[in-house]
Amino acid sequence: MDQDERLLHSSSFGAAAVAYAEHRPDYAQAAVRWALEPASGLRVLDLGAGTGKLTATLVALGAEVIAVEPDSAMLTELRRSLPAVRALSGSAEAIPLPDASVDAVLAGNAMHWFDMAVAGPEIARVLAPGGILAGLWNVMDDQVEWVAGLARVSGSAAIGPRDTPTSWRAETADMHLPKTGVAARFGSPEQAEFPHGHRRTADSLVATIATRAGVLVMPEQEQEVMLGRIRAFLASRPETARGEFTLPMLTGVLRIRRL
């Protein structure tokens, strides 16, 4: 994906902020605990916080959270749902916090949008010495046969290589590294996966998939055809045809320590 495509995709969420807040899953608490395990304290920046899905999990675990999000519509939803959280307008490339002010920086389904040549030094700046950077991604467990079928039917615009455990490790292993000659500010990466699930119906799963960036930027007619294909697949499967079901997922974590 080139820079123009990345900008188009990353800026697509605001128009669907309410749907994003309603339909996107939270994060496995065990995954968030593992991400924070080496941190010296619980001052946490949720960077690219969106509507607060990861923020809410951090609050539940007792962290002192500051949320930073560049999209005003997403930030409005976050402030509405989590009014007690300090939520600021900003980006990974321009973080509105003082030097060494947090023990950990976490990013939920967001690090792939960061320009790490600029964001890497900014994240290192706001982290205390030895602080932790962690990216978290919710992925659909395509080791389950019907989920693998859903991924095939949906296509890569809706469920891409970062969205299934088969390839998320390779896709994210160097996500913290700058794409230019700028020196890396972080040590060797660690990765881990944690079981998770999302209660859905066929209709609400289609609504979830419709909040993905690759779908949001599709021409309307193409989007309708793809979502119709997904509805037909879900209607044909005994696991998903009637009532609620749990979408099998994993929360994958990339964890790196600031040098």
Side-chain angles (χ1 to χ4, degrees):
M1 188 182 294
D2 63 25
Q3 188 62 31
D4 289 341
E5 277 186 297
R6 183 176 288 107
L7 180 61
L8 175 65
H9 282 67
S10 65
S11 63
S12 65
F13 296 111
V18 174
Y20 192 106
E22 181 179 356
H23 294 295
R24 283 293 184 108
D26 61 5
Y27 293 84
Q29 285 197 359
V32 180
R33 287 193 190 95
W34 186 83
L36 294 174
E37 193 175 56
S40 59
L42 285 177
R43 299 175 302 164
V44 182
L45 166 60
D46 183 0
L47 188 55
T51 61
K53 294 293 183 177
L54 177 57
T55 314
T57 306
L58 286 164
V59 168
L61 291 175
E64 179 189 337
V65 190
I66 301 170
V68 168
E69 166 58 37
D71 189 280
S72 60
M74 302 286 270
L75 195 58
T76 296
E77 281 299 309
L78 190 156
R79 287 170 172 159
R80 183 191 61 77
S81 62
L82 296 165
V85 171
R86 185 182 175 200
L88 306 174
S89 178
S91 69
E93 295 77 19
I95 302 171
L97 294 178
D99 295 358
S101 56
V102 295
D103 304 303
V105 174
L106 269 58
N109 277 80
M111 194 184 291
H112 48 277
W113 303 124
F114 300 170
D115 176 0
M116 288 304 293
V118 182
E122 264 293 88
I123 293 168
R125 179 185 66 79
V126 301
L127 276 171
I132 296 300
L133 168 63
L136 295 90
W137 288 267
N138 278 321
V139 300
M140 296 185 183
D141 188 356
D142 62 353
Q143 299 302 304
V144 178
E145 190 273 332
W146 75 262
V147 179
L150 173 64
R152 288 191 296 271
V153 165
S154 300
S156 60
I159 302 176
R162 239 185 358 259
D163 299 320
T164 58
T166 304
S167 53
W168 90 267
R169 281 178 174 261
E171 289 288 319
T172 63
D174 63 353
M175 196 69 72
H176 60 295
L177 298 176
K179 300 297 186 285
T180 63
V182 177
R185 302 299 182 100
F186 300 92
S188 299
E190 301 173 273
Q191 291 173 301
E193 300 165 0
F194 299 85
H196 198 29
H198 194 199
R199 290 296 290 173
R200 297 282 80 189
T201 63
D203 286 343
S204 63
L205 180 52
V206 170
T208 301
I209 293 170
T211 66
R212 292 177 175 269
V215 180
L216 290 170
V217 301
M218 277 183 178
E220 186 176 352
Q221 186 173 6
E222 185 179 341
Q223 183 184 113
E224 288 176 359
V225 169
M226 187 206 68
L227 294 177
R229 191 167 64 241
I230 294 170
R231 284 191 191 92
F233 172 82
L234 295 173
S236 74
R237 296 291 310 204
E239 300 92 341
T240 58
R242 295 181 181 177
E244 281 197 336
F245 55 88
T246 298
L247 172 66
M249 303 182 74
L250 300 168
T251 298
V253 188
L254 170 70
R255 186 176 72 184
I256 323 102
R257 188 184 292 274
R258 178 191 183 277
L259 294 175

